[in-house]
Amino acid sequence: MTAQQGNPMADASLASRHTGPPGGRAHLSPQALARIGKLEVRARSVVEGVMDGLHRSPYFGQSVEFSQHREYVPGDEARHIDWKVWSKTDRYYVKLFEEDTNLRTTLLVDGSESMSYGSGPMTKADYAATLAAAIAYLLLKQQDSVGMTVFGEGVRAAVPHRGKKTHLNTLLGTLGATEPADKTDLGGILARTAEEQRRPGMIVLFSDLFADRDATYRGLRMLRSRGHDVLVFHVLDDAELDFDFQGTTRFVGMEDAGEVTCDPRSLKAGYLKAMQDFCEETRKRCAANLIDYQVVRTSEPFDASLSRYINARLGFRKSLRR
């Protein structure tokens, strides 16, 4: 399908090439150690800048201050069951405590070919990897458990859940070693994650969402129905959001979407309307399922994206307590 047909899913996933390839991929260079080091520095600097001055964690944790109950699910430790509540209700509930609940977070990072696009110094893959690394660093610093899946049509790399700070090296190594490729089966990955992660936790998705919409929404609903908190970082390049191309341009589909050469000015109004509708529909679908949804530009400072993430988690916790 070409851009002339006005399909927002196809149009938005087209990369533009004037004379050269899209922007560089700093953490995808062959020098693995340098690559991982740069990613770790970015992650640490982002987190430390955002967290400076914060005195309480925005997540749940292992303090002695009781917060709330959650219904028991297989895999929960029996020592957390509130037997007094059971004696009154004949149902099992576990106690949650302020600061964290030994939060179990799964990072889902889109590694499909469309994520390799970038009109600036960072590709969408670069941005998603750095943001995922920053969140992993933050969670591990709190002694929470973090696992990760990098996906395309299927699982391209998987890192099991661990809570040690040294686990960050494994996560960074996987992010650095997985170069964007293949098409996207986002709906299938979300459904698979829902089946594998039976214990409620947090699922954080980093993707441009250029995939089958209905399957994506079904997968997100499935995760919520299993009790997971879900956050979606919709990672998009400025060119995809603004469509500020000038002169005759050849658009090349990055996941077998074809190509077309045209004057982009004739497409701009229709394209921007399709992109706006796409983002708005996704936002509404997520809101209806209590899913935190954020559009992030690859030109946006990481600390701004992470700050919104933290504020969203704080707001979500408050809504659950009402």
Side-chain angles (χ1 to χ4, degrees), residues 23-36:
R25 288 176 246 155
H27 77 281
L28 296 178
S29 64
Q31 293 77 18
L33 291 177
R35 172 182 58 220
I36 294 170

Side-chain angles (χ1 to χ4, degrees), residues 112-304:
S112 63
E113 186 181 7
S114 66
M115 293 293 287
S116 67
Y117 177 63
S119 62
M122 297 194 74
T123 66
K124 291 183 287 185
D126 289 330
Y127 197 95
T130 303
L131 201 52
I135 291 174
Y137 176 75
L138 175 60
L139 293 169
L140 291 171
K141 190 175 182 179
Q142 298 180 162
Q143 299 182 333
D144 288 325
S145 176
V146 183
M148 184 176 67
T149 298
V150 181
F151 64 90
E153 285 188 285
V155 175
R156 301 192 57 214
V159 180
H161 291 81
R162 298 286 187 273
K164 295 183 178 180
K165 291 184 179 180
T166 54
H167 186 51
L168 182 65
N169 294 330
T170 303
L171 296 167
L172 294 179
T174 301
L175 286 169
T178 310
E179 188 168 352
D182 302 331
K183 297 181 181 180
T184 314
D185 181 14
L186 180 52
I189 291 297
L190 295 174
R192 173 175 177 156
T193 302
E195 289 297 324
E196 292 179 347
Q197 303 300 325
R198 297 299 182 93
R199 180 179 177 180
M202 188 163 68
I203 310 295
V204 188
L205 172 64
F206 307 85
S207 174
D208 55 16
L209 303 184
F210 294 145
D212 183 273
R213 293 197 209 180
D214 290 335
T216 297
Y217 299 145
R218 282 196 303 271
L220 291 172
R221 286 196 303 271
M222 188 179 300
L223 288 169
R224 285 294 295 134
S225 69
R226 298 292 171 86
H228 295 290
D229 291 343
V230 182
L231 177 64
V232 177
F233 281 100
H234 194 174
V235 183
L236 294 169
D237 187 85
D238 282 11
E240 293 172 324
L241 287 166
D242 301 330
F243 208 70
D244 286 332
F245 298 105
Q246 302 295 325
T248 301
T249 304
R250 181 163 65 101
F251 294 91
V252 181
M254 303 189 77
E255 295 183 22
D256 296 332
E259 64 178 75
V260 61
T261 300
C262 64
D263 181 353
R265 291 173 296 183
S266 64
L267 302 176
K268 184 170 183 176
Y271 172 89
L272 291 178
K273 178 63 165 59
M275 176 59 80
Q276 181 180 0
D277 291 347
F278 171 39
C279 294
E280 182 63 15
E281 179 189 9
T282 305
R283 185 192 66 77
K284 289 181 178 179
R285 294 286 192 103
C286 287
N289 290 279
L290 295 179
I291 294 171
D292 293 329
Y293 168 75
Q294 299 181 29
V295 174
V296 292
R297 291 173 173 263
T298 53
S299 63
E300 182 177 27
F302 294 108
D303 56 349

Side-chain angles (χ1 to χ4, degrees), residues 90-102:
D90 199 32
R91 299 179 67 178
Y92 294 109
Y93 287 86
V94 295
K95 294 180 180 180
L96 305 184
F97 298 90
E98 196 69 36
E99 295 298 299
D100 57 31
T101 51
N102 249 347

